[in-house]
Amino acid sequence: MSIAENGVKFKDLEKRIYKKVCEYGCEHVKEMLEELDGELGAKRDKKKYRSKGKRKKVIKTIMGEVEFSRTVYEVVKSEIKSYVYLLDEEIELTESGFFSGLLSEYIVNASCESTYRNAAKAVTELTGQSLSHIAAWNIVQQIGEKINEKEAEQAKRAKRFEGTGKLESKVLFEEKDGIWLKLQGKSRKEYGTSKEMKLAIAYDGAKKVGKNRYSLTNKVACANFESVSAFKARTEGVIASAYNVDEIEMRLLNGDGAEWIKHGVTEEYDVYFQLDPFHRNKAILTYVTDREKQKLLSSLLYEGRCGDVLSCMEAYINCSECQEKASLEKLYSYFNSNKDGLIEVHRRKLDIPAQEGKVYRHMGCMESNIFTILGNRMKGRRACWSIKGGNNLARMLCLKATNRLSETLNNLSQTVLPERYAKEERIPMSASKIPLRIGKGYNGYTKGGAFPATANYEWLRNIGKTAW
């Protein structure tokens, strides 16, 4: 497709217009920041803050680099001189302060979908920035550390029974599992070639989203390489940050029988453990080769006859003609150590409290969540991780999977520009004047034109957010 008059390809025209709009946006933001700096300087306590001239600073935004000047002030306290920037303090341009909050959010979202290299390439093509994969990695690590501090604080509050969660539910469904990931560098030397990352999710029911499709409601998740006790505390903190745990009367736990999963059960609640049906059925198919024996064991489990299942397996093992005695012994040990969870919770006739608007589905969605939350991004493609780097990315993957990433990033920095910058600028133009602008050299960059700056444009209110 081309513009007939000039023979310009529409794609090139689109790029040029987009570039001009980004340039105009950067210039407009520069003017606002320098204007705000001037106002802060005029209102300052001149006896306390002594102006020492202007210094330049650059913020990377989705439109491009915004270079602006702001005043540095000398502060004398107890004969000790220090220097501050009132503008930096006003909009929290502390620490690195080179990436805007919105650009950081774009980078994090892209990094959750693909490799850091592909994320950097995607953000570079979408925005007015030239971003390297190292810069994308640094952003994820810095934000991941901030989220880690927040989760650590949530764990401490949960331990003191001071959770901030508002969701109320009488029943909480929990599912846990692990995924083995390749390690690199110092982490490989310390822990070996791979290490299990633990994942836990919790939800209060399901809702119907299609003819035969359901979606989990109010789901929270957390993942980490850390020890069992530390992960238990982190999980409880994440749950207590979303749910009012005082209202929980019953917990239902689904897992593959690993010791760390049972160790994570909180004793303050009525907890019912269920051996994950996928792992339970897979164990029968793995350790029992005879089809008739497979059918018999499966039918006994379906009927809830756990004692008969174990007795039947003992008889098979004691049979002198048994060719698979070693495998059956492994299966018997697995089932015997998890005999309290062999029957699914929905088949135990438990008195589960009914809740208005809640649909209770069969537990066993952990294999799907392992893939969608962690495996799809972190496993395969020859990916290797350090302990710290893997933990930081996993935190954001959990937040993204539970639709809490954007809210969390916004809460990490609450800076907004003054109210007047949210006002919309309008220049009236009648229909009769429009043709006068077309084909007459108007380039869309005339100063004073309408600029979208309403309260609905988050980029303006979030311009002060930093990437830590």
Side-chain angles (χ1 to χ4, degrees), residues 75-98:
V75 181
V76 179
K77 187 175 181 180
S78 300
E79 299 183 355
I80 299 176
K81 292 182 180 180
S82 61
Y83 297 89
V84 299
Y85 296 93
L86 295 180
L87 179 63
D88 290 13
E89 292 180 353
E90 178 71 13
I91 60 176
E92 295 184 13
L93 288 177
T94 56
E95 299 177 19
S96 62
F98 295 115

Side-chain angles (χ1 to χ4, degrees), residues 67-285:
E67 183 177 341
F68 61 98
S69 298
R70 79 270 198 244
T71 308
V72 58
Y73 298 96
E74 181 184 86
V75 181
V76 179
K77 187 175 181 180
S78 300
E79 299 183 355
I80 299 176
K81 292 182 180 180
S82 61
Y83 297 89
V84 299
Y85 296 93
L86 295 180
L87 179 63
D88 290 13
E89 292 180 353
E90 178 71 13
I91 60 176
E92 295 184 13
L93 288 177
T94 56
E95 299 177 19
S96 62
F98 295 115
F99 288 81
S100 72
L102 189 55
L103 179 58
S104 299
E105 187 173 338
Y106 274 33
I107 294 170
V108 168
N109 276 289
S111 299
C112 289
E113 296 293 337
S114 187
T115 63
Y116 292 118
R117 194 174 297 277
N118 288 340
K121 181 179 179 181
V123 174
T124 297
E125 293 175 351
L126 180 65
T127 68
Q129 287 295 334
S130 178
L131 188 75
S132 70
H133 66 284
I134 296 298
W137 182 87
N138 283 331
I139 292 295
V140 171
Q141 303 314 307
Q142 292 170 20
I143 296 179
E145 289 300 319
K146 287 290 182 181
I147 296 174
N148 181 47
E149 292 175 7
K150 183 179 179 180
E151 290 185 349
E153 179 60 29
Q154 290 172 350
K156 292 179 181 178
R157 294 180 66 90
K159 191 174 182 179
R160 299 194 302 263
F161 302 100
E162 298 175 356
T164 58
K166 303 298 182 183
L167 296 173
E168 294 187 359
S169 177
K170 296 180 180 179
V171 183
L172 188 68
F173 298 86
E174 295 181 66
E175 303 198 29
K176 299 180 181 181
D177 203 351
I179 181 171
W180 287 84
L181 301 175
K182 297 286 186 180
L183 299 181
Q184 65 179 4
K186 295 180 180 179
S187 297
R188 178 185 285 249
K189 292 180 181 178
E190 184 176 355
Y191 298 99
T193 58
S194 61
K195 184 175 174 64
E196 184 182 33
M197 174 172 280
K198 304 172 184 66
L199 174 66
I201 65 170
Y203 52 95
D204 60 2
K207 64 179 179 180
K208 195 169 186 178
V209 295
K211 184 177 180 181
N212 294 310
R213 291 182 61 83
Y214 291 83
S215 176
L216 303 181
T217 56
N218 298 320
K219 182 170 73 172
V220 296
C222 69
N224 212 286
F225 278 123
E226 63 196 352
S227 65
V228 177
S229 58
F231 184 70
K232 173 187 174 182
R234 184 182 298 272
T235 303
E236 292 301 319
V238 170
I239 291 174
S241 69
Y243 287 91
N244 182 357
V245 294
D246 293 334
E247 298 296 323
I248 300 175
E249 299 177 4
M250 177 185 292
R251 286 193 176 191
L252 305 177
L253 176 63
N254 179 79
D256 62 2
E259 191 62 33
W260 69 267
I261 294 178
K262 292 183 177 181
H263 180 79
V265 174
T266 305
E267 298 178 354
E268 287 80 6
Y269 306 91
D270 291 330
V271 180
Y272 296 90
F273 171 72
Q274 166 188 298
L275 185 63
D276 185 67
F278 171 81
H279 290 90
R280 183 197 65 187
N281 297 337
K282 181 182 178 181
I284 294 177
L285 297 177

